[in-house]
Amino acid sequence: MAAPNLSRMAFRSSKLLARPSHLLSAQLLMQMQSPSPLTRKMSVDAHSVASQLNSSGLLRTQGLIGGKWSDAYDGKTIKVYNPATGESIVDIACMGGRETNDAISAAYDAYRSWSKTTAAERSKFLRKWYDLLMVHKEELAQLITLEQGKPLKESIGEINYGAGFIEFAAEEAKRIYGDIIPAPLSDRRLFVLKQPVGVVGAITPWNFPLAMITRKVGPALACGCTVVIKPSELTPLTALAAAELSIQAGIPAGVVNVVMGNAPDIGDALIASPQVRKITFTGSTAVGKKLMAGSAETVKKVSLELGGNAPCIVFDDADLDVAVKGTLAAKFRNSGQTCVCANRIIVQEGIYEKFANALRDAVQNMKVGDGFSEGVAQGPLINEAAVKKVETLIHDATSKGAKVILGGKRHSLGFTFYEPTVISDVNSEMRISREEAFGPVAPLLRFKTEEDAIRIANDTNAGLGSYIFTNSIQRSWRVAEALEYGLVGVNEGVISTEVAPFGGYKQSGLGREGSKYGMDEYLEIKYVCLGNMNKE
Ligand code: SIN
């Protein structure tokens, strides 16, 4: 196949791509609504991307154990696919328990010296890593689009966002303060020290192949921990490229290890090892519960970022334009494949029809296609199972009275492309209101009063992302306080940033990632009491 060359100059000269802000919304909306001149130059094919990455040394296929790239010990490999074409990109090492145990040992050995480095030294390593991630932003973004499918501009947004966690951790490393507590007795002195928790097992999903890793590994390393990363076997290439850049940044061997392949075996080894003192996981609620139960055996510290069922509440008094733009971003980011994507759009009866029509018109304008093609706002879903889930939920809803007002079927492009969909007349009994669709479907529910909206929104075991659209300051405070969610966007559809705490209430998880709060997840608190102070 003839391969049009990727326009590197176009990337380099773009002010948009160089913008420092890691808040994603403006960039995302631009990409969803108006293809810029830049995107018109973006058409490339997967083969040329893979060969460019190969020549730059960023296309890695082996795991990283103790600073050495390694095949699976039994030589097994698995394929990584491009979801936009169904073609295999490359074969990677398919590792399991033995490789994981060696990675844990390497991390344990490296911990002895890494945990003794000064905060300033760790900060410099992290800063270097951040700089390299930014230098290689374009290639890393291409890798994300290649293995995950999201539009290239969204991938570039993810690099800014993901690298931002490393930059933030580099800064925050120097602010891990302890305390001096006023002593109850005059001959005592009481101190609180914060110390690294130890070796961390980081298990990450496919929907953000870089950002879900960096928001775990950045703070872990800043605190003095070492890590064994298990990226999703669907999207390991970005993780491996980031690990390669950690080596180039001079981060010592064994501090960052990566094993991938046989997920249950790797997970079991991480859970069983008494040397692993912390598990951090982003993924499904079902797997999170298993990891939490398994961690009890060795009493590990656990952070979990699990599934959501995000309500997006549009009140009669909302600005229609703001509500539509915000909902579009909250729902269709990454083709609906994020834990904070709006899963239920709960609209007050007075604005319902107007909002439904305006949302349908906006969604209709979104171009679906290969993430490397110009103007594309929606890529493919990650795999066939993801499409089947969307189909099942839509079928269940329509069989119970919901109406498809846009889309509602596989896209003519084939593979795992699905038409951006809006369905109306959804109610809380339908499966689509109770399960995370993780796809490009916007289900509209109707409500009468503010109390109804809060009740419907909180009627779920999940509690991660939520959104409110209203022009009333009083209502925005009242509803934000009443929502049983870890994140609330008010008149804003994309609120993720490395400087704010990300995490859920109820069964959406434990702990927080990002911000100063995310650092605590990798620290032990040690109390030291100094006695007999008055004795000469
Ligand atoms: C997720 O889907 O788990 C993360 C989404 C985000 O960071 O905004």
Side-chain angles (χ1 to χ4, degrees):
M1 195 169 17
N5 273 334
L6 182 69
S7 173
R8 290 171 163 275
M9 291 312 291
F11 278 115
R12 294 249 153 81
S13 60
S14 162
K15 284 205 178 63
L16 172 69
L17 301 186
R19 64 200 276 274
S21 163
H22 308 130
L23 255 175
L24 303 168
S25 54
Q27 186 173 337
L28 234 144
L29 280 173
M30 276 180 65
Q31 174 246 314
M32 283 172 159
Q33 285 158 356
S34 58
S36 69
L38 176 69
T39 46
R40 284 198 285 277
K41 295 184 186 154
M42 276 185 180
S43 291
V44 290
D45 83 20
H47 297 291
S48 70
V49 168
S51 69
Q52 276 177 30
L53 286 161
N54 200 18
S55 49
S56 70
L58 288 183
L59 192 65
R60 289 274 166 194
T61 57
Q62 297 166 299
L64 181 65
I65 301 176
K68 294 200 172 62
W69 293 104
S70 168
D71 287 321
Y73 295 165
D74 60 6
K76 268 198 194 144
T77 58
I78 44 167
K79 290 189 184 306
V80 180
Y81 293 96
N82 174 354
T85 62
E87 287 171 336
S88 133
I89 305 166
V90 77
D91 290 359
I92 54 150
C94 180
M95 298 177 145
R98 282 194 297 144
E99 295 87 344
T100 307
N101 285 330
D102 285 351
I104 294 168
S105 298
Y108 191 73
D109 291 345
Y111 177 73
R112 278 191 212 108
S113 47
W114 181 252
S115 58
K116 303 257 169 353
T117 54
T118 64
E121 284 165 336
R122 293 196 296 276
S123 174
K124 283 200 182 89
F125 283 121
L126 285 165
R127 180 78 214 182
K128 187 85 201 290
W129 193 13
Y130 165 77
D131 288 342
L132 286 170
L133 289 167
M134 295 311 276
V135 165
H136 294 280
K137 173 156 68 174
E138 296 146 24
E139 291 140 292
L140 293 169
Q142 290 162 22
L143 205 43
I144 290 180
T145 296
L146 195 59
E147 64 177 346
Q148 200 273 337
K150 67 179 70 168
L152 193 50
K153 279 183 75 176
E154 261 192 70
S155 297
I156 287 165
E158 182 180 342
I159 305 299
N160 287 330
Y161 177 46
F165 287 102
I166 302 294
E167 184 187 38
F168 186 87
E171 292 155 356
E172 208 59 16
K174 294 178 272 185
R175 290 190 273 273
I176 300 170
Y177 303 125
D179 274 316
I180 298 176
I181 298 176
L185 299 172
S186 64
D187 70 338
R188 307 280 167 94
R189 294 295 179 270
L190 275 45
F191 304 96
V192 173
L193 306 179
K194 290 194 181 168
Q195 294 186 315
V197 70
V199 175
V200 174
I203 306 176
T204 60
W206 50 264
N207 61 344
F208 290 88
L210 181 72
M212 297 303 104
I213 290 175
T214 52
R215 76 179 181 191
K216 295 169 168 47
V217 176
L221 265 54
C223 292
C225 300
T226 56
V227 294
V228 178
I229 304 166
K230 190 212 86 65
S232 165
E233 44 293 341
L234 301 177
T235 57
L237 303 179
T238 310
L240 296 171
E244 163 64 29
L245 294 174
S246 80
I247 298 173
Q248 291 182 22
I251 293 175
V255 172
V256 174
N257 304 275
V258 186
V259 285
M260 67 278 168
N262 185 329
D265 284 3
I266 295 171
D268 286 351
L270 288 170
I271 290 295
S273 171
Q275 291 180 331
V276 175
R277 296 308 315 141
K278 156 102 193 174
I279 292 288
T280 170
F281 170 70
T282 297
S284 74
T285 307
V287 172
K289 286 179 181 176
K290 283 194 187 135
L291 292 171
M292 190 174 170
S295 295
E297 189 61 36
T298 48
V299 193
K300 296 188 203 313
K301 209 170 158 88
V302 178
S303 319
L304 302 171
E305 199 261 273
L306 308 177
N309 182 2
C312 174
I313 308 174
V314 182
F315 287 97
D316 282 348
D317 63 9
D319 178 315
L320 185 65
D321 198 36
V322 169
V324 169
K325 279 191 181 139
T327 305
L328 200 66
K331 175 66 252 181
F332 292 96
R333 174 178 173 218
N334 199 7
S335 302
Q337 302 174 111
T338 89
C339 298
V340 288
C341 274
N343 203 52
R344 294 168 294 156
I345 299 160
I346 306 170
V347 190
Q348 201 161 13
E349 54 189 5
I351 198 174
Y352 188 94
E353 297 303 333
K354 250 201 280 179
F355 178 83
N357 292 337
L359 184 69
R360 183 201 54 213
D361 293 348
V363 174
Q364 204 153 25
N365 287 333
M366 288 168 48
K367 185 172 169 190
V368 179
D370 187 316
F372 287 111
S373 302
E374 62 181 60
V376 160
Q378 289 283 280
L381 298 193
I382 189 69
N383 57 21
E384 181 58 24
V387 181
K388 287 230 161 76
K389 168 117 203 225
V390 168
E391 285 180 329
T392 306
L393 294 182
I394 292 180
H395 180 261
D396 175 78
T398 49
S399 72
K400 293 173 182 160
K403 294 186 187 67
V404 173
I405 60 173
L406 185 73
K409 57 182 193 307
R410 286 172 189 256
H411 196 278
S412 55
L413 283 170
F415 300 112
T416 56
F417 289 97
Y418 199 87
E419 290 184 354
T421 296
V422 182
I423 53 177
S424 67
D425 298 283
V426 171
N427 65 45
S428 294
E429 305 320 312
M430 297 172 181
R431 280 181 62 187
I432 204 156
S433 297
R434 313 216 69 86
E435 297 172 36
E436 203 175 15
F438 234 67
V441 193
L444 304 182
L445 292 81
R446 199 185 290 258
F447 74 91
K448 281 189 179 20
T449 65
E450 186 178 303
E451 293 68 37
D452 286 344
I454 293 166
R455 183 182 42 73
I456 295 168
N458 287 340
D459 179 22
T460 168
N461 286 330
L464 188 59
S466 62
Y467 308 90
I468 313 167
F469 291 91
T470 174
N471 267 342
S472 157
I473 293 181
Q474 292 86 342
R475 169 171 278 156
S476 65
W477 273 107
R478 270 197 313 270
V479 179
E481 285 175 5
L483 288 173
E484 296 162 356
Y485 288 83
L487 315 163
V488 185
V490 180
N491 294 327
E492 183 54 69
V494 182
I495 59 171
S496 303
T497 161
E498 72 280 5
V499 303
F502 187 104
Y505 280 26
K506 299 199 258 183
Q507 294 185 25
S508 281
L510 286 178
R512 293 295 179 269
E513 296 193 304
S515 81
K516 63 175 182 174
Y517 303 101
M519 305 297 286
D520 293 338
E521 307 291 333
Y522 299 91
L523 294 167
E524 292 281 14
I525 289 179
K526 183 178 282 178
Y527 155 55
V528 180
C529 175
L530 199 59
N532 280 301
M533 288 291 297
N534 299 338
K535 200 153 182 220
E536 285 306 314

